[in-house]
Amino acid sequence: MQVQILGTGQLLDLQRKLRAAGHENIRRSMQRRIRRAAEPLRDDLQDKIRTLTITSTGRKAGKRGGPSPTTRPLRASIAQAIRISVRTTGNPGAKVWVDRSALPPDITNGVVTRLNEGRLRHPTFGNRKRWGQQNATPGWWDKTVRAHQPRITREVERVVDDVRRRLE
């Protein structure tokens, strides 16, 4: 699951001009400003997943339960794996995504997608013969991204215009 803010035409053109002009400090400044524009989105996504309500149907009468086989909280693990990357070369833009390599091995990227859909099915305590279902508020990722997109787009446009003016 990832978000990409791309103004590829403007950013590619600007990237060529930066490379031709050899202004490394302007390029670094542009990257830093684009990253700053995406940081509130990352922070808000982390807050949303940390406070996401996840409910289950619970155990039926007479069924045994037990402690969780993992000591790691699901929502905190996902929040720590949300990353930002900014590129000004190749395919320029800013990307906010869930880094699979930062997730514990038993939490796949599909878990995040299914939580965004509002329904997570999983084996009960690792027993693949018994499955449980948990429900979450659907669209937590999509709604947060949509709320931030106009602001990020304005910020990136402002940064590109500033850099373009500096180069002219």
Side-chain angles (χ1 to χ4, degrees), residues 18-154:
L18 279 170
R19 194 177 302 140
H23 291 293
E24 186 64 26
N25 59 345
I26 294 175
R27 189 182 66 79
R28 268 192 247 124
S29 171
M30 183 173 97
Q31 277 184 310
R32 186 173 45 253
R33 289 176 64 191
I34 291 174
R35 175 177 290 280
R36 267 196 229 126
E39 283 174 352
L41 171 60
R42 181 204 55 204
D43 297 342
D44 202 13
L45 284 167
Q46 288 174 334
D47 290 342
K48 292 286 186 202
I49 188 65
R50 283 187 182 113
T51 60
L52 184 67
T53 303
I54 300 176
T55 60
S56 69
T57 54
R59 291 190 309 245
K60 293 186 172 69
K63 298 290 183 182
R64 294 189 330 233
S68 172
T70 153
T71 58
R72 212 181 37 264
L74 172 69
R75 290 172 283 208
S77 297
I78 294 171
Q80 288 176 339
I82 297 175
R83 305 272 193 264
I84 299 174
S85 71
V86 176
R87 292 180 55 169
T88 56
T89 60
N91 188 15
K95 181 167 74 169
V96 178
W97 84 104
V98 176
D99 184 6
R100 283 186 208 172
S101 66
L103 289 172
D106 59 333
I107 299 176
T108 63
N109 209 30
V111 169
V112 179
T113 303
R114 288 190 297 275
L115 275 175
N116 187 48
E117 292 168 359
R119 180 179 153 207
L120 175 63
R121 289 192 73 235
H122 59 85
T124 305
F125 299 111
N127 181 353
R128 300 196 69 74
K129 292 180 182 176
R130 293 182 55 208
W131 286 75
Q133 176 175 317
Q134 292 180 296
N135 300 309
T137 308
W140 66 271
W141 180 278
D142 299 335
K143 290 175 187 174
T144 306
V145 169
R146 270 192 302 256
H148 283 268
Q149 200 161 5
R151 181 195 54 78
I152 292 174
T153 303
R154 282 192 311 271

Side-chain angles (χ1 to χ4, degrees), residues 1-15:
M1 181 164 286
Q2 64 184 4
V3 181
Q4 294 184 12
I5 306 297
L6 303 170
T8 53
Q10 289 181 343
L11 287 173
L12 282 170
D13 186 41
L14 195 59
Q15 168 217 353

